[in-house]
Amino acid sequence: MRHIYSSPSAPSQIPTVQEIRASTNVISEKLRRTVVAVSDTFLVKYGRAVEEIEGWNLLFVEQSLGMPAPRLYAMFEESQDIFLVMEYIHGDLLEDVWSDLEEQDKMTIVGKLGGIIDNMRSLPSLGYFGSVLRGPLPNDMFWTETLDPSVCGPFSDGNELCLGLVAQLIYRQVVTSRVEFFKRHLPQLLGRHPPVFTHADIQRKNIIVQEIKGGQSRDYNVFIIDWESAGWYPSCWEYISILIAFNWGDDWLAKAEHFISPWPVEAGFMKLMDMYMTFY
């Protein structure tokens, strides 16, 4: 076993690999990635598709922002599986309750998300685009099997980042005329956006809400989970990631624009690029 991180303030003894693998309280299981609850205290994500960077992101969020996100208690590797032992935050996934919420409840939650996003964006830029470890951007649009830094980053400025996206199109063998189109227009759209700390996957499936009982009006605690894609991205990227994942089925995008500045031109352009990267 390779020990990577251990918190000095874990609430109780960290569960063993045997206890984790034996847990029958499976929260999710897909793509070589399993999430289980071990008692009411620990949530563990493990598997070959789990990346260390998610653990480092959780530590960065706790140490730099102190914001509502799961605390990381331990990170280790065993039999090529990465294990993230985290705080178990009880509550409802926002995607499970959204359609049942009243308008006032939705706006209360949106307001809480706005405070979280403002806190994240208040961090001073470190002057590069990349992971919190100054490594590659943890995002499929910047991924290659060899982790080629010209495609994956880190990037020193917006021009390098744009060239990285063009290199990704070439790597995925996208038709040359399409590559040239994006090469012409990317710099004027993304190149002007400074790096800001970004979650990069704010979907309702990654938001937990807890109703606060006892008040005169309903209130909620709000937590953001699944920080595996977080890093320093162009300031428009949070909105881009929401639009790319949105399925146009309801009012989520309109509500998201209350807590994230909309960049519809940049987002539409990147949604088109994402489509060509996926169906080249």
Side-chain angles (χ1 to χ4, degrees), residues 88-92 208-212 219-223:
Y88 188 2
I89 297 177
H90 297 263
D92 297 309
I208 292 176
V209 294
Q210 300 171 339
E211 184 176 350
I212 301 171
D219 196 5
Y220 297 86
N221 292 319
V222 178
F223 303 85

Side-chain angles (χ1 to χ4, degrees), residues 42-63:
F42 298 109
L43 193 75
V44 184
K45 180 185 287 189
Y46 69 94
R48 296 196 178 188
V50 177
E51 302 285 348
E52 282 186 41
I53 190 61
E54 182 171 5
W56 297 122
N57 283 340
L58 288 172
L59 286 174
F60 178 84
V61 166
E62 179 184 351
Q63 294 167 4

